[in-house]
Amino acid sequence: MKRRILSVRRNGRRRVFPGCALLCGAAAAWAGSSLLAPPAWPDAAGPSPPPTLATAMAGPLVLNPTPFKFALGQFGPIYGTGVLTGLGLAQTNPVLGDRTGRFDISNGQAIAQKIDGVLQFYAQAGIYALPALGTPYIRASTANSDFFGPLPEGYLKLAPTDKFAILGGKLPSLIGAEYTFTFENMNIERGLLWNQEPAISRGVQANYTAGPLTLSASFNDGFYSDRFNWLVGSAAWTINGSNTLTVVSGGNLGRSTTATIATPLPQNNGAILDLIYTYSAAPWTITPYFQFTHVPRIRSLDLYAPASTYGGAVLVNYAVTPRFNLAARAEIIAATGYGGNGAPNLLYGPGSYALSLTATPTWQIGRFFVRGEGSLVKAEDVTPGLAFGKSGNRTTQARFLIEAGFLF
């Protein structure tokens, strides 16, 4: 979600991540709308279909279709699911402080949710890693404190009708075409565009559905800054059963001085626009999208010149068989600005650009899955010291990952 040089203080020590500002990024633009409607309960004469859970899933992985169900009398049923996954990673040209290879837990999370009635809730708790292309890998054991804590998502939802709802708490961002956690997405790692986007924000959100149009608005703290000055709006048009078009935009209405791993100073004081199209008809899911970001000149924050990014991506999944899927992603992103006039670093130095290619075959049988991934990032016009390798002067990074686990 951010890709500039990031310098922050953690436990009293200053940490610098060359070539990136952080990896937090985005939940899909329709993430909020996926929390809108309660399930359509079946006719009394027919069998009960699986409940429509609020957990955002882009596929191809599928959560347990028969989750644990706990009856609480008049309060209604609560559904429980869980995720336990681990990964192995090997990479070329790791930045200073990162490693060539490692093993880690990628998710150890429990999810509880109430999805019907006027008062609903969602709680997702546990440990997680947030791997993203072109950024240093942060172990799950430290990701909780560096990012969103042991309860990364949790909110209350007031749904007086099936068309209108208000949510409050720690919410997945409306911005972007990729979700936050590995198990929610086509690929194990998030992409270059995701690095420019907020992933989870604290705030309130309103959703309204009118026929094929879903509107959402959120007032929140942007890149998890704990300063509530971001306004985000989304409009998703379901053209038909296979095609959806989403426009989402947001930005900082004021100024924020916070700078942490989860809160890159330039991006958190900027604005973003995404245009997302999704085609979904078996066996294909295809999502191309365009992204534009802008950071204005703010001399009081040492942002002495404006800078922007322009990016585009295509995410594709093909269901080869009911158990085997092949996903791929291609991206290009470019940053404007000139370091000599004080423009912020939004990528691999002002004026740099990067391309990425990712392929992820996935096999799932029942609750168990295993998937591999190969990716390549190529950066150009980099600022020396802000790219890959121990010195920050290498311009390519290849990664190979394997992730396996259970979706309870």
Side-chain angles (χ1 to χ4, degrees), residues 36-318:
L36 252 179
W41 297 105
D43 206 78
S48 297
T52 304
L53 300 179
T55 306
M57 297 288 289
L61 294 177
V62 180
L63 280 179
N64 189 349
T66 56
F68 300 104
K69 182 178 179 180
F70 307 93
L72 290 181
Q74 296 299 319
F75 188 68
I78 293 176
Y79 294 94
T81 54
V83 184
L84 180 60
T85 64
L87 63 77
L89 177 149
Q91 63 181 338
T92 63
N93 297 325
V95 301
L96 186 65
D98 203 0
R99 299 180 182 178
T100 301
R102 62 175 73 240
F103 293 95
D104 197 13
I105 184 170
S106 51
N107 293 281
Q109 301 192 65
I111 302 169
Q113 51 192 299
K114 183 178 183 295
I115 58 175
D116 62 346
V118 175
L119 182 61
Q120 305 173 26
F121 75 86
Y122 183 91
Q124 183 171 329
I127 192 170
Y128 50 86
L130 302 176
L133 294 183
T135 67
Y137 184 87
I138 298 177
R139 292 188 62 86
S141 57
T142 59
N144 281 43
S145 58
D146 283 350
F147 292 101
F148 313 115
L151 183 70
E153 291 185 17
Y155 57 83
L156 292 175
K157 177 178 177 180
L158 185 65
T161 74
D162 61 354
K163 295 183 178 180
F164 177 73
I166 297 177
L167 301 79
K170 299 173 73 170
L171 303 168
S173 175
L174 291 168
I175 298 170
E178 294 183 274
Y179 298 108
T180 301
F181 303 101
T182 62
F183 69 93
E184 297 176 315
N185 293 279
M186 299 180 186
N187 307 107
I188 301 173
E189 294 187 279
R190 303 293 68 71
L192 300 176
L193 273 62
W194 183 85
N195 277 321
Q196 300 292 330
E197 303 162 348
I200 294 172
S201 304
R202 290 166 287 204
V204 294
Q205 179 177 315
N207 298 329
Y208 178 72
T209 298
L213 187 64
T214 297
L215 304 175
S216 298
S218 177
F219 183 69
N220 57 61
D221 66 347
F223 288 77
Y224 210 70
S225 67
D226 204 24
R227 183 175 177 83
F228 297 89
N229 51 15
W230 264 69
L231 183 63
V232 179
S234 170
W237 176 31
T238 303
I239 303 169
N240 53 43
S242 301
N243 299 274
T244 303
L245 180 64
T246 302
V247 179
V248 58
S249 183
N252 196 322
L253 303 178
R255 297 288 181 267
S256 298
T257 59
T258 303
T260 68
I261 294 213
T263 311
L265 181 69
Q267 280 85 342
N268 193 51
N269 283 279
I272 187 168
L273 169 69
D274 281 347
L275 179 63
I276 306 167
Y277 167 76
T278 296
Y279 170 80
S280 182
W284 292 97
T285 300
I286 304 173
T287 301
Y289 79 106
F290 168 79
Q291 179 195 87
F292 169 73
T293 75
H294 180 72
V295 177
R297 180 177 65 179
I298 309 175
R299 292 184 178 275
S300 62
L301 299 179
D302 296 332
L303 304 174
Y304 294 108
S308 300
T309 67
Y310 300 83
V314 179
L315 294 83
V316 178
N317 184 73
Y318 178 73

Side-chain angles (χ1 to χ4, degrees), residues 88-90 131-133 178 182 185-191 327-329 357-362 370-376 398-403:
L89 177 149
L133 294 183
E178 294 183 274
T182 62
N185 293 279
M186 299 180 186
N187 307 107
I188 301 173
E189 294 187 279
R190 303 293 68 71
R329 176 182 56 212
L357 293 173
T358 306
T360 310
T362 298
V370 61
R371 56 182 176 173
E373 182 164 291
S375 66
L376 178 67
R399 279 183 175 171
F400 303 93
L401 294 91
I402 185 168
E403 184 181 40

